[in-house]
């Protein structure tokens, strides 16, 4: 008897949950689970065409991804514990108070993307904090083999300027980076996961004399989200012994790179070799899927620093699905051998990669 009643209730529950949820109707025949997400389809159309030059994984996409970090990492429970304002995290303060925050030394260069993005946020009347995270997620979705990041909408547009010295510098020692990122809630492995972003990075401010942009620590063709960065194999490569400066000398935050035309950050070089981070770093060499899924997980955390995710609306469905790529098996760059690798993970041997054929690799300007 009892069991019959339970069965009856159970099947009723199944029927109820099978009724499709009403979806909100947005522009151009698209629908969303929540009407609050509709505006993001319009923002998507606009920025894909007018900010990212028809959905490219180009410079504005890279700078937009970098900006998600420089806004969000202004968040310090340590300062709060000392009775000071610790920053609001992913709150758009870097855009609302650009005249203050973009003058912080670690934010050198981000003023350009802040001012490029601002009119789009104003036009669509969305908060600066939401816009910055949305643009970063859309921008990196344009990179082949890239992540599809979560996007939660509803951050307040009200913020205060972040305190200075919360954004890591490329000249920082690993201890400093681990402490600062740890204060914001990231483990050493999660810092490495975040640095998957540098697979699509270039620099132009650490060595401003280089007359063109070069692959930063990693990539000569920073248009795909390629784990070669971690390998230091075919073109970009952090674990190969450095031998040269791509510009005309050493700059603060720069160390020698292994390839003509490639640029290496001091901080990436250190994190790739530190016992606390080396194994996570090395683990991505052969595992692009793990790099992408861990990046997606850690970016969900970054994008909501200082926010209560439960109070935000999940509009992830608006973020495009990145093109998949058939990445070639990782190799060492032509002209390099395993003897050039500075493996630093004690627990796991460095994978037995062979070198690409042909003359010694150099990295073309981007
Ligand atoms: C240890 C922490 C980090 C340090 C020290 C660092 C440092 C740097 C530096 C110095 C540059 C070159 C900027 C220039 O000269 O134009 C750069 C570029 C970049 N960074 Fe980071 N970064 C860190 C973490 C991150 C994180 C967490 C993200 C994103 C999630 C990120 C995304 C990027 C991107 C996409 C670029 C390339 C920008 C472009 O090509 O215009 N970085 N980073
Ligand atoms: C967000 O704040 C800025 C000022 O910092 C203002 O110009 C903009 O209109 C605000 N946007 C919204 C959606 O309230
Ligand atoms: C813009 O957004 C703000 C805050 O959400 C709202 O108060 C205002 O009415 C909106 N303005 C327009 C023109 O929709
Ligand atoms: C917290 O702040 C104090 C004082 O500035 C500093 O000495 C300490 O290293 C910080 N700790 C972390 C984890 O950032
Ligand atoms: C580096 O390059 C810049 C610009 O090309 C030049 O002005 C400067 O003298 C160079 N410095 C050295 C040490 O070669």
């Amino acid at each position: 008897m009892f069991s019959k009643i339970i069965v009856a209730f159970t099947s009723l529950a199944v029927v109820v949950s099978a009724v499709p949820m009403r979806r909100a109707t947005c522009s151009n025949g698209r629908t969303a689970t929540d009407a609050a997400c509709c505006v993001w389809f319009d923002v998507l159309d606009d920025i894909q065409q007018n900010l990212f030059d028809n959905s490219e994984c180009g410079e504005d996409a890279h700078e937009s991804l970098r900006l998600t970090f420089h806004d969000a990492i202004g968040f310090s429970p340590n300062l709060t514990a000392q009775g000071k304002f610790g920053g609001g995290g992913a709150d758009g303060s870097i855009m609302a108070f650009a005249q203050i925050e973009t003058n912080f030394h670690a934010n050198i260069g981000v003023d350009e993307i802040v001012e490029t993005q601002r009119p789009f946020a104003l036009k669509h009347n969305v908060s600066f904090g939401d816009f910055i995270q949305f643009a970063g997620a859309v921008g990196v979705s344009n990179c082949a083999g890239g992540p599809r990041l979560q996007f939660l909408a509803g951050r307040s547009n009200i913020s205060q300027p972040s305190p200075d010295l919360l954004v890591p510098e490329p000249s920082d020692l690993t201890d400093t980076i681990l402490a600062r990122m740890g204060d914001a809630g990231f483990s050493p492995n999660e810092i490495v996961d975040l640095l998957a972003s540098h697979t699509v990075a270039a620099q132009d401010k650490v060595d401003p004399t280089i007359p063109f942009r070069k692959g930063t620590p990693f990539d000569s063709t920073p248009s795909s989200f390629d784990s070669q960065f971690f390998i230091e194999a075919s073109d970009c490569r952090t674990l190969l012994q450095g031998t040269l400066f791509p510009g005309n000398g050493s700059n603060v935050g720069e160390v020698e790179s292994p390839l003509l035309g490639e640029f290496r950050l001091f901080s990436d070089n250190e994190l790739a070799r530190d016992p606390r981070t080396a194994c996570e770093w090395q683990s991505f060499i052969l595992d692009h899927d793990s790099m992408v899924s861990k990046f997606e997980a850690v970016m969900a955390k970054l994008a909501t620093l200082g926010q209560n995710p439960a109070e935000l609306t999940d509009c992830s469905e608006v973020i495009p699905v990145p093109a998949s790529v058939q990445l070639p098996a990782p190799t060492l760059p032509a002209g390099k051998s395993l003897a050039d690798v500075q493996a630093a993970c004690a627990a796991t041997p460095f994978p037995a990669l062979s070198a690409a054929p042909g003359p010694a690799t150099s990295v073309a300007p981007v």
Side-chain angles (χ1 to χ4, degrees):
M1 187 60 182
F2 253 109
S3 63
K4 262 193 183 163
I5 291 170
I6 290 168
V7 168
F9 274 126
T10 308
S11 47
L12 183 66
V14 168
V15 170
V16 169
S17 67
V19 173
M21 276 172 59
R22 265 262 312 278
R23 291 182 60 86
T25 304
C26 310
S27 60
N28 296 330
R30 292 168 294 198
T31 64
T33 48
D34 193 304
C37 297
C38 282
V39 64
W40 295 104
F41 281 116
D42 300 329
V43 179
L44 175 71
D45 294 344
D46 195 2
I47 65 176
Q48 284 291 46
Q49 186 165 4
N50 301 311
L51 175 60
F52 300 136
D53 304 324
N54 291 319
S55 312
E56 273 184 24
C57 174
E59 187 174 338
D60 289 304
H62 305 156
E63 287 179 354
S64 294
L65 182 60
R66 182 177 181 223
L67 186 59
T68 65
F69 177 56
H70 289 241
D71 188 34
I73 202 63
F75 179 73
S76 172
N78 188 1
L79 284 179
T80 306
Q82 298 168 40
K84 299 176 185 156
F85 177 60
D91 61 355
S93 64
I94 202 165
M95 189 175 284
F97 300 99
Q99 72 284 10
I100 298 172
E101 290 193 31
T102 65
N103 284 314
F104 297 165
H105 185 266
N107 285 339
I108 187 165
V110 303
D111 54 320
E112 290 169 31
I113 190 65
V114 167
E115 297 316 322
T116 307
Q117 285 189 3
R118 183 194 306 277
F120 292 92
L122 293 175
K123 175 178 168 191
H124 295 279
N125 201 34
V126 292
S127 73
F128 289 165
D130 278 355
F131 186 87
I132 288 171
Q133 297 305 321
F134 183 75
V138 172
V140 74
S141 81
N142 293 337
C143 306
R148 189 180 191 209
L149 301 183
Q150 181 186 65
F151 172 63
L152 306 184
R155 292 167 190 76
S156 165
N157 194 49
I158 310 291
S159 62
Q160 297 176 60
S162 169
D164 196 0
L165 307 180
L166 297 183
V167 182
E169 293 272 8
S171 53
D172 282 347
L173 297 171
T174 300
D175 282 352
T176 307
I177 292 177
L178 296 191
R180 173 71 277 275
M181 295 297 286
D183 175 25
F186 297 101
S187 69
N189 281 354
E190 286 177 324
I191 299 168
V192 176
D193 302 346
L194 280 169
L195 286 170
S197 57
H198 281 183
T199 61
V200 289
Q203 76 81 35
D204 52 20
K205 294 292 191 291
V206 182
D207 184 350
T209 69
I210 300 178
F212 40 75
R213 294 167 63 86
K214 310 224 180 221
T216 309
F218 0 92
D219 220 312
S220 62
T221 49
S223 58
S224 66
F225 208 76
D226 186 339
S227 44
Q228 288 281 15
F229 163 49
F230 291 95
I231 307 166
E232 279 255 344
S234 82
D235 11 65
C236 273
R237 327 329 105 170
T238 322
L239 280 171
L240 287 167
Q241 177 157 15
T243 54
L244 56 88
F245 289 107
N248 59 7
S250 165
N251 294 279
V252 175
E254 180 182 13
V255 293
E256 286 181 331
S257 92
L259 302 176
L260 261 179
E262 181 177 300
F263 189 95
R264 185 182 288 176
L265 293 180
F266 172 83
S267 51
D268 287 327
N269 190 71
E270 296 291 295
L271 288 163
R273 288 160 179 75
D274 190 282
R276 293 164 289 184
T277 41
C279 289
E280 185 77 352
W281 196 284
Q282 183 179 292
S283 76
F284 292 148
I285 293 176
L286 295 180
D287 198 344
H288 179 260
D289 290 349
S290 156
M291 179 183 85
V292 169
S293 62
K294 287 186 169 180
F295 185 67
E296 289 169 344
V298 77
M299 283 299 288
K301 196 165 162 177
L302 182 78
T304 54
L305 283 182
Q307 304 287 330
N308 179 355
E311 287 172 4
L312 303 177
T313 305
D314 192 342
C315 298
S316 303
E317 62 194 325
V318 181
I319 305 298
V321 178
S324 62
V325 277
Q326 203 57 47
L327 291 170
T331 54
L332 297 168
K336 299 287 180 184
S337 76
L338 286 173
D340 300 309
V341 172
Q342 297 176 318
C345 171
T348 320
F350 190 85
L353 303 178
S354 53
T361 308
S362 65
V363 175
V366 294

